[in-house]
Amino acid sequence: HFHDVLCLSEAKGMDINMEDLLLIEKLEAAVWAAHSLFERGKTAGSSANMSFRHNDLVYISASGSCFGTMCREDFAAVRMDGTPVWDQKPSKEWPLHLALYGKSADIGAVIHTHSTYSVLWSFVPSRSVSDCIPDHTPYLKMKLGTVGLIPYEKPGSEALFSAFRERIGDSNGYLLKNHGPVVPGKSVMDAFLFFISLLYKKLLRVPGNKSLAVESCFLEFSKTNPWGFDLLNSNVDNSSLISLLL
């Protein structure tokens, strides 16, 4: 689409604003990433949000938008202080995004979803809140770095934004407890690839044909006994319980 706009502008003898073309290219990349994540089952409904930085503005998915039907018009623009540029309402979690852009000028995009395995993993006790995903393979550390665990607070609340800002300097990516991952990158494509690395890191297979994330979380749920009966010693088939968790 970027090249189509360029060719059309040249054919009509129009002046080509390279900044506008770059913005279109970024919007197209964001739409592609949103559709890809939706098709992979990493988000559903309007639960996810993403953003990218362009000059002095941050373009963030609008409130209520769905990754599955995302288009270029589904992005609101805000200034770095959170002031909206036009009437379109940004995702309520825009402060998470702006906190990351304020952290480093190298961050050019942010992706946040409520992906199932990430939420499950956030229940697993971690030895380090600044590095909550173990080194089963080297790729996550090589591509993204450490992933910090952020304490649970209500989504969209100032308490969540405050907890996030308190730990933002301790890690490179983040996992909001009971909520989902927040992954930054230099560009939308960087953030997307880092995000995929984080997700598939937790899908490593272990004996018993269950993912490490599900097996670990099953044990943790069993200990906390959320349903009021003994999961470990009950006659309920474990596979049924895992299906219930997913």
Side-chain angles (χ1 to χ4, degrees), residues 119 129 173 206:
V119 174
V129 294
V206 294

Side-chain angles (χ1 to χ4, degrees), residues 76-90:
V78 299
R79 306 187 196 284
M80 287 301 295
D81 63 358
T83 304
V85 176
W86 52 72
D87 291 339
Q88 195 170 24
K89 185 178 179 181

Side-chain angles (χ1 to χ4, degrees), residues 32-49:
W32 177 88
H35 290 176
S36 181
L37 289 170
F38 188 87
E39 290 163 4
R40 293 166 187 259
K42 306 308 176 187
T43 181
S46 59
S47 61
N49 46 76

Side-chain angles (χ1 to χ4, degrees), residues 24-36:
I24 291 172
E25 186 177 37
K26 290 180 178 180
L27 284 166
E28 291 291 350
V31 168
W32 177 88
H35 290 176
S36 181

